[in-house]
Amino acid sequence: DGGITQSPKYLFRKEGQNVTLSCEQNLNHDAMYWYRQDPGQGLRLIYYSQIVNDFQKGDIAEGYSVSREKKESFPLTVTSAQKNPTAFYLCASRDPTGGTRYTFGSGTRLTVV
Amino acid sequence: RKEVEQDPGPFNVPEGATVAFNCTYSNSASQSFFWYRQDCRKEPKLLMSVYSSGNEDGRFTAQLNRASQYISLLIRDSKLSDSATYLCVVYNAGNMLTFGGGTRLMVKP
C-alpha cells in the first residue's frame, strides 16, 4: 500500500544534539511538507518542498534544516539551535493531480531530555 | 491575528447531542476549506471538504460563509467515537494548508 512512513515514532534527544527525523513516501508525490504540533495547538509549517532539489522555509524554520535529494525522501534535522524542540512532528505529501488532498505520516514525537 | 482561529474547547456533550464548531479565517483570497479530525497522538485525517453551498456527510454538516469568512461544522447524534480534536483547515494560493488550533470534543456516555 502507498503511504508515508515516518521514523522513529518516538525519539529522545539530549540538549545540544542534532537529530534527524525520517520521512519516506512511495506515493510518487512531488510536494512534501514538515509540520510541528505542540500540545493543544494546530500544525505549524516548518519547511516544504515542491520538487526534488528545491525546498522553502515555512513559518517556523529557525533551528531546522531539510534536504530533498530524492523524490521519495524529505528528512528533517532538528539542530541544537532549535531552543524548544520537544513536539510532535508530522510529515505530509500532496499529489498535485489530486488537488488539495494531503497524506500525512503517523508522526514522530521528539522529546529533549 | 491568527490566520485561522477556532475555539479550543473542550466541548463536553452527552451522547446523542448535536454540537457545532465554528472557525474564522483572515485571508479573503482563501480558496478551499476543510475539516480534519485528529485523535490523540495521531496524524490528522480529512473529515470533509467545505463547499459554499454547504454539504453533508451522514451526521456531519459543513457550511461556509465567504462574506463573513466563517466556516462551521455540525455533528448530529454525537457518538462516543466522535471524541477527538477537529481542525479547521484553509488552503491558499501557493499550495499551502493553514491549520487552526483545533477544537476538542469530548462525548460522554
Side-chain angles (χ1 to χ4, degrees), chain A residues 33 35 37 40-42 45 48 50 88 90 94 100-102 104-106 109, chain B residues 2 32 34 36 38 41-44 46 87 91 94-97 99-101:
Chain A
Y33 307 83
Y35 290 91
Q37 186 175 34
Q41 304 291 315
L45 183 64
Y48 64 99
Q50 304 277 34
F88 187 44
L90 285 157
R94 185 179 67 88
T100 54
R101 184 172 290 273
Y102 278 41
F104 282 90
S106 57
R109 192 163 298 277
Chain B
K2 289 183 181 178
S32 305
F34 309 91
Y36 276 68
Q38 186 176 25
R41 299 177 179 268
K42 301 279 190 181
E43 73 274 23
L46 179 64
L87 302 169
Y91 182 80
N95 304 321
M96 290 297 132
L97 288 185
F99 290 79

Side-chain angles (χ1 to χ4, degrees), chain B residues 24-78:
Chain B
T24 57
Y25 61 95
S26 60
N27 186 346
S28 59
S30 297
Q31 299 175 336
S32 305
F33 309 89
F34 309 91
W35 284 101
Y36 276 68
R37 171 192 168 129
Q38 186 176 25
D39 293 293
C40 190
R41 299 177 179 268
K42 301 279 190 181
E43 73 274 23
K45 294 186 178 177
L46 179 64
L47 178 66
M48 59 195 303
S49 302
V50 187
Y51 302 116
S52 297
S53 55
N55 50 297
E56 190 173 302
D57 183 1
R59 297 181 293 109
F60 299 83
T61 301
Q63 297 274 356
L64 167 64
N65 184 323
R66 283 190 184 270
S68 301
Q69 295 180 205
Y70 169 99
I71 305 158
S72 66
L73 177 69
L74 182 78
I75 305 175
R76 290 181 299 278
D77 189 22
S78 299

Side-chain angles (χ1 to χ4, degrees), chain A residues 24-97:
Chain A
E24 303 280 330
Q25 54 105 351
N26 59 4
L27 300 164
N28 201 35
H29 288 176
D30 286 312
M32 297 186 74
Y33 307 83
W34 273 105
Y35 290 91
R36 169 183 171 137
Q37 186 175 34
D38 293 284
Q41 304 291 315
L43 279 65
R44 292 184 291 167
L45 183 64
I46 305 173
Y47 266 98
Y48 64 99
S49 169
Q50 304 277 34
I51 199 166
V52 176
N53 292 322
D54 185 57
F55 49 83
Q56 306 294 330
K57 291 182 179 180
D59 301 319
I60 55 165
E62 186 175 350
Y64 299 97
S65 66
V66 293
S67 63
R68 188 84 187 277
E69 297 175 2
K70 299 187 298 181
K71 190 175 189 178
E72 301 80 16
S73 179
F74 190 40
L76 173 74
T77 297
V78 185
T79 75
S80 57
Q82 171 48 239
K83 298 305 178 190
N84 186 22
T86 295
F88 187 44
Y89 291 86
L90 285 157
C91 180
S93 70
R94 185 179 67 88
D95 176 8
T97 64

